[in-house]
Amino acid sequence: MLLAELLDTSHLGLRLRYAAPGALERAVGRAVTTDLLEPGDYLAGSELVFTELAWRRSPDDSETFVGSVAGCGVTTVVAGTALFGPAPDDLLAACRRHRVTLVEVPADVAFVDVTDHVTSVRAAESGNRLSAGLVRQRELLAAMASGRDVQEICGRVAREIGHDCRVLTPTGRAVVAGPTELSETALDAITHQYLTADLLPAVATVGETAYSVFPVGSGLGHRLTGWLLAVDGDHRAWPHEQVDAVGDLAAIVALERTRRDERHRAVRPIAADALTLVESAAPQGVAATRLHQAGLDPDTTLVAMVADAGPLPADTATALVEDVALGVGPAVVATDRDGLLIALLPDGPDLVGRTRSAFQRLAPGLGRDDRLAVGLSGPTDLAALAGALDEARFAVRAARAGGTPVTVVGSDDVTSHVLLLATVPDEVRRAYALRVLGAVVDNDARSGTDLVATLRVFLGCSCSWARTAEELHLHVNTVRYRIERIQELTGRDLSRLEDRVDVFLALTSLG
């Protein structure tokens, strides 16, 4: 039931005092009656709020009341006139400021007459929607059973509701692409909303464009490895029938997700065997055959990727790396003897950049202690693939020192000093770092100072006092004091190249 239809109900005699933009085409939510001055904490945001204005003691109270209901998403207030007469001008002004529609109920019409009418119409619509939903589900299931792919089914629902539908993963990979390609900014916003929203569906906004984000399946699984529906438009302004249609589509897509997951699980043992053959220097023809069976063309130019997913569960980590790899093309993904995830990928334009963007989209969904370190080799052929794996392992060791939740390092990113440090055992690098900077680290821990962070920026700014102060939003004298304190604690003079190199390598090893 739309608000315009409620206002057109002649026997209720409702009077529209102010209509917010788009309000008349918005579906009416459940009716709630309140005379609390600040009822926002008790509302979900889609209600039709009825009030007799008993809360109003002064004109300022209107701003408080309307601000409270608008703050939780309520878009329509229905004011009674039986007790205090027509809605005062200050209430009308507050509704205009907050873009909340204001409707008046005549003195001779009881609230219960309006709420009963809303309830009965909504109940009838709910029954109709249930019947229509069952028919739609049967039709979509029949379409899938007859061999229609998920792309066709998404297109069918998109035409029905008038909104483009896309199926994405949290890395931004398009399982079902829409008629136009999404920008990187839009992908970042949609995946971020999916991973961080308290409740789904939610809305991601990019400029003036809104995307409704729906979970695929029950939504009880790990969002990092889930699928999502990104539908053009804001679902909060849609008729219930359109929201129901997207829900039905999500259920069908979940079946396709299950089917694809089963295929990936079946290929994993073959992929593991192919990796073993590559690393054991097996005859090239044997390794090529196994790679082909795992779905990868062994004659194409390949890139090795090594990922360390830290404390993430093994199944989750594998699914994430497989998802990123599938965004590149047909790939082989397996776990090596050290528990690292290995992917053999077909080379392509800006492979490192695309891989970095995909992994970094996962960062909002990681736990506080979760880390993803990823290293990629340069392009090679099958004959040199074992060397490419060694190169990617060097890169992943450099990525571990990145100090961010997600770090992706390509072979071109591994500078000479990082490559040198990557060859040094972890315990040696750590001991060296603490020997040079241990006193500074202890001082930060004991006194709550930011000496390590200041040092990192200072060296990154080529030891420029002014640039460091600007970067940290500090006075230059504060920077000078902190650097002098670091020199005192370390016994190093940062104006000397040798001491500066010592501190730089220790800071890099510290991570």
Side-chain angles (χ1 to χ4, degrees):
M1 181 184 194
L2 302 180
L3 181 59
E5 295 172 330
L6 178 61
L7 292 171
D8 286 342
T9 306
S10 58
H11 73 274
L12 297 178
L14 302 178
R15 179 189 177 197
L16 179 64
R17 292 291 305 276
Y18 166 69
L24 299 182
E25 291 74 37
R26 185 173 286 118
V28 173
R30 68 186 182 94
V32 174
T33 301
T34 181
D35 274 306
L36 294 174
L37 178 60
E38 298 184 66
D41 290 342
Y42 306 98
L43 300 171
S46 60
E47 298 91 347
L48 202 64
V49 175
F50 288 74
T51 177
E52 291 284 9
L53 310 185
W55 43 263
R56 185 179 179 277
R57 296 291 183 270
S58 71
D60 290 341
D61 288 343
S62 292
E63 174 64 27
T64 302
F65 177 82
V66 177
S68 177
V69 299
C72 69
V74 168
T75 59
T76 303
V77 168
V78 182
T81 59
L83 295 182
F84 302 103
D89 291 341
D90 48 87
L91 177 61
L92 179 60
C95 286
R96 289 183 183 277
R97 279 193 296 274
H98 292 278
R99 294 192 172 188
V100 172
T101 298
L102 179 61
V103 177
E104 282 184 346
V105 179
D108 59 347
V109 176
F111 276 179
V112 69
D113 294 333
V114 183
T115 57
D116 281 353
H117 178 75
V118 169
T119 302
S120 63
V121 172
R122 279 170 54 85
E125 290 177 341
S126 178
N128 292 337
R129 289 200 310 273
L130 179 59
S131 298
L134 291 173
V135 171
R136 185 189 304 108
Q137 287 179 7
R138 285 197 295 268
E139 291 175 346
L140 294 179
L141 285 169
M144 178 170 280
S146 66
R148 303 291 186 185
D149 63 23
V150 69
Q151 178 93 34
E152 293 178 87
I153 292 173
C154 283
R156 173 177 174 171
V157 174
R159 290 189 295 272
E160 177 184 337
I161 66 176
H163 301 281
D164 292 336
C165 300
R166 298 173 176 87
V167 181
L168 306 173
T169 70
T171 66
R173 178 171 67 89
V175 179
V176 174
T180 58
E181 185 176 354
L182 291 174
S183 68
E184 293 294 304
T185 301
L187 284 174
D188 290 345
I190 291 168
T191 54
H192 184 277
Q193 187 72 305
Y194 172 72
L195 290 171
T196 60
D198 291 331
L199 293 174
L200 293 172
V203 176
T205 304
V206 182
E208 298 296 320
T209 305
Y211 300 93
S212 293
V213 182
F214 293 78
V216 168
S218 68
L220 298 178
H222 204 310
R223 287 192 192 178
L224 281 173
T225 58
W227 283 9
L228 62 106
L229 276 171
V231 187
D232 290 6
D234 185 340
H235 72 277
R236 294 170 296 188
W238 297 348
H240 292 295
E241 293 81 0
Q242 292 185 1
V243 178
D244 291 345
V246 176
D248 293 338
L249 174 60
I252 298 300
V253 173
L255 296 177
E256 175 65 13
R257 163 76 191 279
T258 300
R259 188 162 62 185
R260 295 194 186 190
D261 283 349
E262 289 173 353
R263 287 206 299 266
H264 292 321
R265 281 193 290 269
V267 171
R268 284 175 186 170
I270 303 174
D273 191 32
L275 176 64
T276 300
L277 292 172
V278 169
E279 293 202 282
S280 63
Q284 191 170 325
V286 176
T289 299
R290 208 58 171 151
L291 287 172
H292 181 74
Q293 291 171 342
L296 181 64
D297 180 3
D299 295 325
T300 191
T301 302
L302 300 173
V303 171
M305 180 170 73
V306 178
D308 182 354
L312 284 173
D315 287 348
T316 299
T318 301
L320 296 182
V321 173
E322 285 179 342
D323 187 30
V324 174
L326 287 170
V328 174
V332 167
V333 178
T335 304
D336 74 357
R337 57 186 178 275
D338 298 321
L340 298 176
L341 284 157
I342 309 296
L344 305 179
L345 314 170
D347 189 26
D350 191 26
L351 178 61
V352 174
R354 289 185 291 136
T355 302
R356 181 177 287 118
S357 295
F359 275 113
Q360 287 180 342
R361 289 194 180 102
L362 300 171
L366 295 175
R368 184 174 59 183
D369 298 324
D370 292 335
R371 292 290 183 273
L372 270 172
V374 181
L376 291 104
S377 74
T380 187
D381 56 18
L382 179 58
L385 198 51
L389 283 169
D390 289 338
E391 186 180 348
R393 288 191 172 97
F394 278 130
V396 82
R397 294 190 68 172
R400 289 193 189 113
T404 56
V406 177
T407 306
V408 177
V409 173
S411 59
D412 292 341
D413 301 320
V414 181
T415 55
S416 56
H417 75 275
V418 173
L419 184 59
L420 174 65
L421 290 174
T423 64
V424 177
D426 290 344
E427 61 274 13
V428 176
R429 289 190 295 113
R430 184 68 180 172
Y432 172 75
L434 293 179
R435 184 169 134 190
V436 176
L437 293 175
V440 180
V441 173
D442 290 343
N443 189 85
D444 278 355
R446 185 175 59 255
S447 305
T449 54
D450 292 315
L451 298 182
V452 171
T454 302
L455 176 61
R456 198 181 298 277
V457 174
F458 183 67
L459 294 176
C461 292
S462 300
C463 300
S464 167
W465 306 102
R467 286 170 55 199
T468 303
E470 182 180 356
E471 183 80 17
L472 294 174
H473 306 291
L474 297 173
H475 193 278
V476 172
N477 289 341
T478 302
V479 175
R480 289 184 182 276
Y481 168 77
R482 291 185 180 181
I483 297 303
E484 288 171 0
R485 179 60 176 154
I486 290 168
Q487 293 180 137
E488 177 186 333
L489 290 169
T490 60
R492 259 77 171 181
D493 180 358
L494 293 179
S495 66
R496 296 179 67 248
L497 177 60
E498 295 86 348
D499 286 352
R500 194 183 302 176
V501 169
D502 274 353
V503 172
F504 176 75
L505 292 175
L507 190 63
T508 303
S509 298
L510 194 61

